[in-house]
Amino acid sequence: MRGILRNPLDRQFGVILCPDAWQEEEEVIMVADDNLIRKVNPHVGTTIQSDFYAGELAKARQNPDYRREVMTKLFNVFQSERTVSWLQPRDIRPLQIQGRIDEFKAAAGWIVFCGMDFSQGTDLHTISYLAINTSPEWEGPRFFADFDAWVSEETLQAISIRPMYEQWIEQGNLHVCEGKVFEPSLLTARIMELTNAGVNLAGFGYDPYQSKQVVNDLGAWIYTTTGIDPKEIIIPVRQNFASYNPVVDEFTYMVQTEDPWIRFSDNPMWPWLFGNVALAVSTDGMENKKPVKSGTSDSCKVDPIQALLSALMVYDLFNGKISEE
């Protein structure tokens, strides 16, 4: 202090505490680590009671939009990103075809990779499917996308777009899970159903901070049924700039190239979802991109799109193995 305060009139010394650089890249980890809040706020329990921080962290875990505010105010991590538009409903509608993932079977050369995104708040609980045709005789688009999504009963009762949700539920395009939280057995039952129908589900990607119970349930079924170590085909994928950026570019090309490589199921939720999504672009000089909600209302959902990109990540990881077979 003596070497810094050269002016005898100086009486204050300002300090801004923040997480290490590697920790700042993982917002979900930060709000899940109770010890980190004490690292950046050593006055916890002195000037402000610890239950205040506990409440703020709980809200940040459930609401990605509120999480950004908590990152700035409580962790001194100032958001360095801007938002730009991305794919629009008009890009997706012409690529929708009749059919669901149940029809894209191994016997016809289709291999399916999955991305899973399970909400801790009011968002959708989702598994998205990316089917790839590996048959040398296949002459159509190589990729097909579909998803299954669930909404909790509690969310359905409170959400502002309940009539639209109920219409999709009646059509079989959206499912309801009882109570407040997602029941893992619903996902495992759906995977069993697809497997029994002849769909080859080759790999699963999941957010390691939101899917633990679902992954444990699914992994137990995979091991019991096949003897395969679940860790070989259930892969953690991080939903950050570095992970998303390459697949955002890849997926954009698949959709917008002159002869698109991908088709989407006829689920009417697809165009609606792409109407809700935007790209956050980092302003750290890297210009990395990741999908985010374009708005903050409870009707703005993008989970199946994020899960679909997770499926594409897993496909890219397995692509070399597929080529060797």
Side-chain angles (χ1 to χ4, degrees):
M1 290 292 288
R2 292 177 181 176
I4 298 175
L5 301 180
R6 297 182 176 89
N7 189 327
L9 297 179
D10 289 337
R11 291 293 182 269
Q12 294 181 338
F13 179 73
V15 177
I16 298 178
L17 302 176
C18 59
D20 294 328
W22 65 269
Q23 293 170 317
E24 292 185 12
E25 297 179 359
E26 297 287 355
E27 291 182 358
V28 178
I29 297 178
M30 292 168 63
V31 297
D33 187 349
D34 292 332
N35 293 323
L36 188 56
I37 194 67
R38 295 184 177 277
K39 176 180 179 179
V40 298
N41 295 281
H43 57 280
V44 171
T46 303
T47 59
I48 299 179
Q49 295 304 308
S50 57
D51 57 355
F52 167 78
Y53 289 99
E56 293 296 281
L57 292 178
K59 289 188 286 184
R61 291 174 189 134
Q62 296 185 358
N63 187 335
D65 298 309
Y66 191 71
R67 186 186 306 154
R68 297 177 184 176
E69 181 177 340
V70 169
M71 290 299 100
T72 300
K73 293 182 177 179
L74 301 188
F75 288 89
N76 297 317
V77 176
F78 298 93
Q79 302 300 303
S80 57
E81 63 184 51
R82 57 187 173 86
T83 302
V84 299
S85 62
W86 190 33
L87 300 171
Q88 300 297 311
R90 62 177 177 272
D91 297 310
I92 305 304
R93 289 192 184 97
L95 302 181
Q96 288 188 276
I97 61 174
Q98 289 187 346
R100 302 303 296 267
I101 193 62
D102 311 64
E103 304 167 32
F104 287 73
K105 301 182 180 183
W110 293 98
I111 298 176
V112 179
F113 292 90
C114 307
M116 303 184 293
D117 191 304
F118 297 94
S119 169
Q120 295 180 350
T122 62
D123 286 337
L124 299 173
H125 309 279
T126 302
I127 177 168
S128 290
Y129 311 102
L130 183 68
I132 301 94
N133 197 290
T134 59
S135 172
E137 292 80 23
W138 178 253
E139 297 180 353
R142 190 178 182 194
F143 297 91
F144 173 80
D146 195 12
F147 70 90
D148 280 303
W150 291 262
V151 60
S152 70
E153 277 187 332
E154 183 178 73
T155 297
L156 180 61
Q157 296 300 319
I159 197 164
S160 62
I161 53 173
R162 178 178 173 183
M164 186 165 63
Y165 268 22
E166 289 178 335
Q167 180 179 356
W168 287 334
I169 292 167
E170 183 178 354
Q171 296 168 345
N173 295 308
L174 180 63
H175 314 294
V176 180
C177 52
E178 296 181 357
K180 299 180 180 180
V181 298
F182 181 75
E183 170 54 53
S185 63
L186 295 174
L187 183 280
T188 302
R190 179 58 173 150
I191 296 302
M192 293 171 59
E193 182 181 44
L194 291 172
T195 301
N196 293 335
V199 177
N200 181 8
L201 302 170
F204 302 82
Y206 71 97
D207 180 348
Y209 303 104
Q210 293 186 351
S211 308
K212 292 181 180 179
Q213 291 182 344
V214 179
V215 167
N216 290 341
D217 194 79
L218 177 60
W221 177 79
I222 289 174
Y223 182 76
T224 302
T225 306
T226 67
I228 296 174
D229 183 351
K231 293 181 180 179
E232 294 183 8
I233 60 175
I234 306 179
I235 312 298
V237 292
R238 300 184 185 278
Q239 297 185 348
N240 56 22
F241 279 113
S243 299
Y244 267 135
N245 188 67
V247 294
V248 165
D249 289 339
E250 183 179 1
F251 186 76
T252 303
Y253 182 84
M254 290 164 59
V255 171
Q256 293 191 329
T257 187
E258 183 176 354
D259 185 13
W261 294 3
I262 189 169
R263 296 294 182 270
F264 296 83
S265 69
D266 54 3
N267 189 329
M269 293 180 67
W270 274 127
W272 173 72
L273 290 163
F274 277 94
N276 294 331
V277 74
L279 289 181
V281 182
S282 66
T283 56
D284 55 3
M286 301 298 292
E287 295 284 306
N288 286 327
K289 301 173 288 292
K290 67 178 181 179
V292 295
K293 297 177 181 179
S294 60
T296 59
S297 72
D298 66 351
S299 63
C300 193
K301 308 299 180 188
V302 299
D303 312 275
I305 297 174
Q306 293 171 326
L308 183 59
L309 293 184
S310 295
L312 183 55
M313 291 182 207
V314 178
Y315 163 70
D316 287 341
L317 288 172
F318 278 74
N319 196 16
K321 296 181 182 179
I322 295 174
S323 301
E324 293 170 2
E325 293 177 350

